[in-house]
Amino acid sequence: MGKASRKKRQAGGTQAQGSARPAPFVSRPFEGLADESEWVAMREILPAASAPVTLAVPEGTTVSGREVPAGEHEVTLVTVLPAAMPAIHRENGEVLVALQSRTSSGDASRDIVAAALTALAADPGTSVNSVRPATTDTPRLQDVLVEGQQLAVEVHDDFGFWLGEDASEEMTAALEQMNESAVPMARVEGVPTAFWCHMSGRSYIRWILDEDEDTALQALARLQAAHEHTLGEGTDLIGAFRACGVLVPVLEVPADSAAEDHAEALTALQERYAAALGQEAALTEPERRARNALVSRQVTLR
């Protein structure tokens, strides 16, 4: 190969790689979406849930050399699928996309779109077992979600939403196994995004906040210093998860209680939290100690 040909080939290779750089890390991938806390719940908190969305695919979109049909497409988001598959394109045309799959580029927003586009490009009856890592060319949810949508999350008691008319014996067997290990969860009404769960004989409420981690942490510290951070007697704020750039306080509640038992108290806590968010004064010494104590009990998901 001549020198000029080699230079041309190298230049072409560099351009191709440059246009497909790995997706950059995004600490708060669902920021800007309506119902951000609901997206975080689907991605990190809920074991079994689903939500329909509509994606608008531009003309000329391709995935792995296959063209994705342009236009608006109904897609069902789910928490997980059998064998941790990223997506399924059922025989009847329905597309299911898992938010808790193994695919991870550092930007969950792009990962979800990559799985959805791969499934839409696949033939009906196809299980998508892998998805190429998202790149800077992969659209984000913020780019392809039809504007004005609300994320209507339905929490399920089991993983029966897996099964369609074309369910295989393997999927049915996987469903039975997953149902045996499913953690019971239920929504606590009265606040935007909170879920009761029962694990190992103990009950908890996971409360997903809409603000960035630092802002939420400061408000919680003010509440704890004022002893206004629980749901009342018999409950305790035992720590918090850090998930997708937001904070998820975890409150332990009586083991024999149910989700509906805490709706009124959690609504009141939400109001105290909102008031704490509005305070602009610097943290006092007791509030700084409370913040440090909360930081020491944080767990980062993923």
Side-chain angles (χ1 to χ4, degrees), residues 60-69 117-118 120-124 126:
T61 302
T62 60
V63 175
S64 302
R66 300 194 63 170
E67 186 170 354
V68 184
L117 295 179
T118 301
L120 288 168
D123 296 326
T126 300

Side-chain angles (χ1 to χ4, degrees), residues 37-148:
S37 57
E38 296 286 298
W39 284 93
V40 176
M42 288 278 291
R43 173 74 175 182
E44 302 288 0
I45 300 298
L46 294 170
S50 62
V53 294
T54 303
L55 306 182
V57 179
E59 291 278 356
T61 302
T62 60
V63 175
S64 302
R66 300 194 63 170
E67 186 170 354
V68 184
E72 295 187 358
H73 297 273
E74 295 286 339
V75 170
T76 301
L77 303 175
V78 299
T79 46
V80 292
L81 286 169
M85 286 186 295
I88 292 175
H89 193 157
R90 286 177 167 164
E91 288 282 3
N92 64 1
E94 183 182 13
V95 171
L96 275 62
V97 177
L99 271 67
Q100 299 177 23
S101 70
R102 293 178 297 228
T103 304
S104 179
S105 69
D107 183 356
S109 181
R110 281 190 169 95
D111 291 337
I112 294 164
V113 174
L117 295 179
T118 301
L120 288 168
D123 296 326
T126 300
S127 295
V128 178
N129 295 310
S130 63
V131 175
R132 289 187 177 181
T135 70
T136 52
D137 291 338
T138 306
R140 307 187 75 231
L141 285 164
Q142 290 82 344
D143 302 322
V144 298
L145 276 174
V146 171
E147 193 172 350

